[in-house]
Amino acid sequence: MGMMMSLMGKGVPSGQMLSALTGALYTTFIEKDVKNFDDFHRAILDMFNVINSALPGKHYDVPSREEIEDFFAEWQASAEAERKDAFVEFMKDTVTLSKLDNYTVITGIVTPPAAMAAKKAAENVPQINIIKAIPDVIFVPSVTVLALISAKISRKMIQGTMGKSAT
């Protein structure tokens, strides 16, 4: 009982959590019928989906397709007994905790009050007077989500990582 309470207060270190999850998920991974790279890639994506949905608040980035292809070749070439160790090492080396950049945080903080101010100002313009019909509880979250999406896309375009996994 004391151990559970201490883990609730501090939490399990993410390295230990990832190792425990990786071992448990590998047995599930082995049960899937992996015949080619597409099956392997689908199994890896399913595994990350399980990890990210099981750990509240923490999300892990999926390795790039190239990294998975390279590991698949290595995984196929290794002996059956060495595959689990290779898999665990791959997961430890390539799995990174997803991080928000400052631009996303600033956009998320600044957008709701700016959306309210813009809506109040637009209500007085006769051409867009229809904006009064949209309730604030719909307008503000919608504008915030759109602003976050556009900030993320524009940031990726500036960094030149569109279509690649951000690490």
Side-chain angles (χ1 to χ4, degrees):
M1 179 75 170
M3 184 62 147
M4 289 303 278
M5 296 307 269
S6 68
L7 288 177
M8 287 172 63
K10 298 176 190 169
V12 178
S14 63
Q16 290 177 347
M17 179 69 79
L18 187 60
S19 294
L21 277 173
T22 303
L25 290 173
Y26 184 75
T27 56
T28 306
F29 176 75
I30 286 297
E31 292 172 1
K32 294 186 179 189
D33 192 23
V34 177
K35 295 178 183 171
N36 55 22
F37 174 73
D38 289 334
D39 294 339
F40 186 82
H41 192 238
R42 190 174 301 113
I44 294 282
L45 293 177
D46 287 345
M47 193 175 309
F48 274 91
N49 189 22
V50 169
I51 291 172
N52 286 334
S53 62
L55 297 175
K58 291 188 178 194
H59 290 280
Y60 292 94
D61 290 330
V62 180
S64 68
R65 184 175 176 92
E66 292 81 25
E67 289 176 320
I68 295 174
E69 285 175 354
D70 294 342
F71 176 68
F72 178 67
E74 175 188 327
W75 185 76
Q76 271 191 323
S78 62
E80 200 65 40
E82 298 171 359
R83 285 185 174 182
K84 182 176 181 177
D85 295 333
F87 182 79
V88 170
E89 284 302 313
F90 170 73
M91 293 296 279
K92 284 182 183 177
D93 292 342
T94 59
V95 174
T96 58
L97 190 60
S98 181
K99 295 181 180 113
L100 287 176
D101 59 347
N102 290 337
Y103 298 103
T104 306
V105 173
I106 291 170
T107 302
I109 292 171
V110 171
T111 303
M116 282 303 300
K119 183 177 181 204
K120 294 297 178 197
E123 287 176 351
N124 297 328
V125 178
Q127 289 84 359
I128 50 176
N129 197 10
I130 192 78
I131 204 164
K132 287 182 182 178
I134 303 171
D136 292 344
V137 296
I138 303 290
F139 183 77
V140 174
S142 300
V143 170
T144 303
V145 167
L146 290 174
L148 288 170
I149 290 170
S150 65
K152 189 79 166 177
I153 289 173
S154 62
R155 188 75 182 145
K156 283 189 173 191
M157 286 172 44
I158 290 170
Q159 292 176 343
T161 60
M162 200 67 168
K164 299 175 187 172
S165 74
T167 54

